[in-house]
Amino acid sequence: VNRVAHLTVLSRAIVLDGMQQLKLSANVRGDCWVQNIILSTRQDDLSELKTLSDTKGDYYTMHKLVYRDIVSDVVRGRILAHFKTQAGVQASHAAMKTTRGRIRAQRPWRKI
């Protein structure tokens, strides 16, 4: 995936779901593609991506993607570090009560 910036959050979730259903481990570069999509998604968009991945009503969730489908420990570590960093950014916005933090507090979801 070369043009991730042109994809909406919904499109990114659909691409990740398709990659999971077509057996991510079937392609050697699959882990890198997933990493590229996730690391290119930040803050509220990352929360929305995780929510969309987890609420499809099937077996293919973000947890399965990160812990089962990705075989590279290095890629998994980068993705988990990204989740942690973005969660810290969101927590900072909430603690400082910025406009972004107040808007986020009104939403029904907070995945990271």
Side-chain angles (χ1 to χ4, degrees):
V1 182
N2 293 328
R3 299 187 298 176
V4 176
H6 298 288
L7 297 175
T8 65
V9 176
L10 179 59
S11 299
R12 293 175 193 205
I14 291 170
V15 169
L16 288 176
D17 184 55
M19 291 173 67
Q20 281 184 286
Q21 290 185 22
L22 295 174
K23 302 298 178 206
L24 185 63
S25 59
N27 191 311
V28 179
R29 297 190 57 203
D31 288 358
C32 294
W33 295 337
V34 170
Q35 174 183 294
N36 187 20
I37 291 171
I38 292 176
L39 297 185
S40 299
T41 310
R42 295 180 178 5
Q43 296 181 24
D44 291 341
D45 288 343
L46 184 58
S47 288
E48 185 176 352
L49 179 67
K50 289 175 70 180
T51 300
L52 289 169
S53 294
D54 290 343
T55 59
K56 295 183 311 254
D58 60 11
Y59 174 67
Y60 302 104
T61 63
M62 185 64 72
H63 184 273
K64 180 186 178 299
L65 176 65
V66 173
Y67 289 103
R68 301 245 180 195
D69 295 339
I70 294 178
V71 292
S72 170
D73 291 334
V74 173
V75 172
R76 183 179 303 112
R78 287 180 186 150
I79 290 171
L80 293 174
H82 181 67
F83 287 160
K84 184 177 181 179
T85 300
Q86 295 306 307
V89 171
Q90 286 190 329
S92 296
H93 279 289
M96 293 187 302
K97 298 183 181 173
T98 63
T99 302
R100 182 174 277 172
R102 287 192 301 272
I103 291 170
R104 185 179 306 106
Q106 295 173 357
R107 293 185 181 159
W109 52 266
R110 281 177 231 117
K111 288 295 278 190
I112 63 170

